[in-house]
Amino acid sequence: LHDALPISSLKMAMTGVKPDDTCATAFDALKAKKESRFILFTITADGKHISVVEKVAPAGTCAEDWAVFAGKLNGDYAAKCCYAVFDFDWEAEDGHSAQKIMFVLWSPEGAKVKDKMMTTGSKDALKKALVGVGQDFQATDSSEITYEECLEKAKSASTSG
């Protein structure tokens, strides 16, 4: 029977963690209304749900807002796992404005093993609820969440560079 199940179903079944209604609502507002530059999500203390913990409105350029975002991951989340979506934009090589919604699974080396396993195992359930994510990646330390790293990932997911 297990051979017939896709890997993602096994992961979701293993953790049983599901996103609550705040996740899709906040994501839709970011996507459609540009209310947030980025949103942070975590698994609730009871281990049953994924919930929005912070929404941050655009305050400056993408690079400036990315610096705020990376600062939060390296600060408040230096030893805690979380998920994030970031409305990332840049100027493409041909001069037009390009944009991708980036999904980040933050699993720092200092986090507890159980936290890392629950977060990784529940990622697909959250991604499924966030319709319209352009690119996703996992990061474990500050070198993996620089603006330049994300720009390369965004460009690689884009057909127009």
Side-chain angles (χ1 to χ4, degrees):
L1 176 67
H2 287 297
D3 293 338
L5 292 173
I7 303 260
S8 60
S9 294
L10 289 174
K11 281 183 182 177
M12 202 163 107
M14 277 188 339
T15 67
V17 178
K18 293 183 171 57
D20 66 19
D21 294 340
T22 65
C23 298
T25 303
F27 180 73
D28 289 343
L30 173 146
K31 191 171 62 170
K33 301 176 190 162
K34 305 292 184 195
E35 287 180 4
S36 302
R37 173 68 86 168
F38 64 90
I39 304 168
L40 297 173
F41 309 86
T42 60
I43 295 175
T44 54
D46 65 8
K48 294 182 180 178
H49 297 98
I50 299 167
S51 189
V52 171
V53 288
E54 189 170 1
K55 297 183 281 188
V56 178
T61 66
C62 184
E64 290 166 346
D65 290 346
W66 185 269
V68 171
F69 169 68
K72 285 192 176 294
L73 295 185
N74 288 315
D76 298 345
Y77 293 89
K80 292 189 287 189
C81 295
C82 69
Y83 310 97
V85 289
F86 191 100
D87 191 4
F88 199 88
D89 57 68
W90 70 99
E91 187 175 306
E93 290 173 18
D94 66 5
H96 83 278
S97 295
Q99 183 266 340
K100 283 276 179 228
I101 297 175
M102 307 297 283
F103 179 92
V104 181
L105 188 163
W106 176 245
S107 182
E109 292 178 11
K112 295 176 182 163
V113 173
K114 182 180 179 189
D115 190 18
K116 290 181 186 185
M117 290 173 61
M118 288 290 286
T119 303
T120 302
S122 304
K123 172 187 142 185
D124 289 338
L126 178 59
K127 269 193 68 187
K128 202 171 177 181
L130 307 180
V131 178
V133 168
Q135 172 75 323
D136 76 275
F137 64 98
Q138 181 170 336
T140 58
D141 67 43
S142 59
S143 71
E144 296 174 331
I145 54 162
T146 64
Y147 175 79
E148 295 74 20
E149 269 297 307
C150 191
L151 179 59
E152 285 306 309
K153 290 180 189 322
K155 284 181 175 180
S156 73
S158 175
T159 56
S160 60

